[in-house]
Amino acid sequence: MTDPKKSQQDLVVVKNLVKYFPVRAGLLQRVVAWVQAVDNVSFTIRQGETLGLVGESGCGKTTIGRTILRLIEPTSGQIIFNGVDVATLRGKELKAMRRDMQIIFQDPYASLDPRVPIGESVMEGLNVHGVGTRQERFEIMMDTLKKVGLEDYHARRYPHEFSGGQRQRIGIARALALRPKFIVCDEPVSALDVSIQSQVLNILKDLQQEFGLTYLFIAHNMSVVEHISDRVAVMYLGKIVELASREDLYRDPLHPYTRALMSAIPIPDPTVKRERIILKGDVPSPLNPPKGCRFHPRCPVAVDRCSQEEPPLKEVHPDHLAACWLLK
């Protein structure tokens, strides 16, 4: 039986995306170095699917999400959304495109204005884009709050009156209000209790079914990513090292870094022991990444070629890509 999501068209196409941040020093604030946050990354997100993006903190996951939305300007590369290169848009065209592309921020405490009732916060995007009349915008806001599990009277309350889980529901409502096609979920459950995480994840899955949403789900928790994703991309130090369907990646991880991440996932059965792969050393600095494969200084199976040549991200099995010289 074929997967219906494989036959759907690509909604987001990222080609050779690069984002370097300048490091300035001295009295004249000259550029003395570059932080290579994202370096030559390419992937696609199909219509209606969830692509999980995982990796250690500082590997460039959030930078990719914000660059796709043009909240951060790319250094180079293409970001094609629904057939249009987002990197070339300006003014009214960019504003119109942003109606279809939204983001759920990681921190539900910092992403809401403490001086504004949450009903007004949810309506802000509707006001900016001039959607309908004031009454119609109000009705959309109320309907959206109900879809994320909040009540009518919550609209008049301020952010400090809500718990962390409720604030993240408000963040989801803000992203959903404009009925976008694509949402970047930037670690939306990492600041929440485990019991609340599952509620928020189920809300996201239900909304995806109802509205046909497409997600880029950024996280560092491999169990959360397995629960919500259709495909998973693994990042290390600004590069994607493995990309596959959820089933293939969790059944047969190919890259040594992915295997190390998988070995850290807890097993609910206390009688079963998983062999941990402990990586030595720290993640190298993106200011001066290693030559060749960026993972080779910490890789337990690295060979001489790994320190000299950078492996390409190639298809090892059907729809299963990995970047490692040891894979044939």
Side-chain angles (χ1 to χ4, degrees):
M1 184 176 177
T2 58
D3 183 351
K5 291 188 177 180
K6 285 187 178 181
S7 62
Q8 292 173 342
Q9 64 177 0
D10 295 331
L11 181 68
V12 180
V13 180
V14 175
K15 296 181 180 178
N16 309 117
L17 182 63
V18 175
K19 179 57 188 178
Y20 290 176
F21 293 98
V23 177
R24 301 181 184 275
L27 187 63
L28 299 177
Q29 290 292 289
R30 290 194 174 97
V31 176
V32 295
W34 294 91
V35 177
Q36 301 179 29
V38 178
D39 193 7
N40 198 30
V41 166
S42 300
F43 61 89
T44 63
I45 308 175
R46 299 174 186 133
Q47 178 85 41
E49 81 163 350
T50 300
L51 176 68
L53 188 59
V54 299
E56 292 172 273
S57 296
C59 69
K61 307 185 299 294
T62 295
T63 301
I64 284 182
R66 296 191 177 206
T67 305
I68 289 174
L69 300 180
R70 287 279 302 278
L71 298 177
I72 299 173
E73 292 296 326
T75 302
S76 64
Q78 284 184 299
I79 305 157
I80 299 170
F81 174 75
N82 210 18
V84 179
D85 190 348
V86 178
T88 64
L89 298 180
R90 297 290 183 273
K92 292 181 179 179
E93 291 179 333
L94 180 59
K95 180 180 176 181
M97 179 69 74
R98 280 188 169 145
R99 182 171 175 174
D100 289 330
M101 306 170 75
Q102 293 292 308
I103 184 170
I104 301 167
F105 292 101
Q106 176 179 359
D107 188 350
Y109 295 91
S111 59
L112 293 170
D113 189 335
R115 301 164 298 178
V116 177
I118 66 107
E120 292 295 325
S121 290
V122 173
M123 278 202 298
E124 186 175 7
L126 299 170
N127 294 333
V128 168
H129 288 275
V131 177
T133 63
R134 171 76 184 181
Q135 181 60 30
E136 288 171 339
R137 293 195 289 271
F138 179 82
E139 290 171 359
I140 291 172
M141 178 269 291
M142 285 297 193
D143 179 59
T144 305
L145 288 180
K146 288 179 180 177
K147 289 189 183 300
V148 299
L150 297 174
E151 301 297 333
D152 292 356
Y153 61 85
H154 286 137
R156 299 185 296 274
R157 293 186 175 180
Y158 289 83
H160 72 272
E161 300 178 73
F162 295 92
S163 66
Q166 287 175 319
R167 291 191 201 194
Q168 198 57 287
R169 290 170 190 247
I170 297 165
I172 294 171
R174 292 178 70 192
L176 183 66
L178 284 165
R179 303 296 186 261
K181 297 176 182 176
F182 173 62
I183 298 179
V184 173
C185 306
D186 185 10
E187 304 209 29
V189 297
S190 65
L192 306 178
D193 294 338
V194 174
S195 59
I196 306 300
Q197 287 184 8
S198 59
Q199 295 177 19
V200 172
L201 291 174
N202 288 333
I203 287 172
L204 289 172
K205 293 182 80 169
D206 291 343
L207 293 173
Q208 184 175 40
Q209 290 290 326
E210 184 173 352
F211 295 103
L213 297 170
T214 303
Y215 293 144
L216 173 63
F217 191 91
I218 298 168
H220 57 259
N221 187 321
M222 297 294 288
S223 299
V224 168
V225 168
E226 182 180 17
H227 177 71
I228 198 169
S229 301
D230 297 300
R231 289 187 302 141
V232 181
V234 181
M235 280 196 75
Y236 183 81
L237 204 63
K239 292 204 175 266
I240 290 179
V241 297
E242 189 162 357
L243 175 60
S245 69
R246 174 188 61 200
E247 294 81 5
D248 289 346
L249 191 84
Y250 283 80
R251 184 184 67 248
D252 183 25
L254 299 178
H255 196 278
Y257 177 61
T258 310
R259 290 178 190 156
L261 292 179
M262 295 291 188
S263 75
I265 300 175
I267 298 176
D269 186 348
T271 63
V272 178
K273 298 290 184 182
R274 176 178 274 146
E275 184 181 349
R276 284 293 310 274
I277 301 174
I278 307 298
L279 299 178
K280 298 179 180 179
D282 296 322
V283 180
S285 170
L287 278 168
N288 186 25
K291 184 181 176 183
C293 175
R294 296 191 173 187
F295 184 59
H296 87 263
R298 305 174 71 198
C299 182
V301 293
V303 296
D304 290 341
R305 187 180 186 184
C306 301
S307 62
Q308 301 300 319
E309 300 177 54
E310 182 180 323
L313 185 65
K314 63 180 182 180
E315 191 171 49
V316 180
H317 302 309
D319 290 325
H320 194 152
L321 288 71
C324 181
W325 288 122
L326 300 180
L327 299 171
K328 303 300 181 183

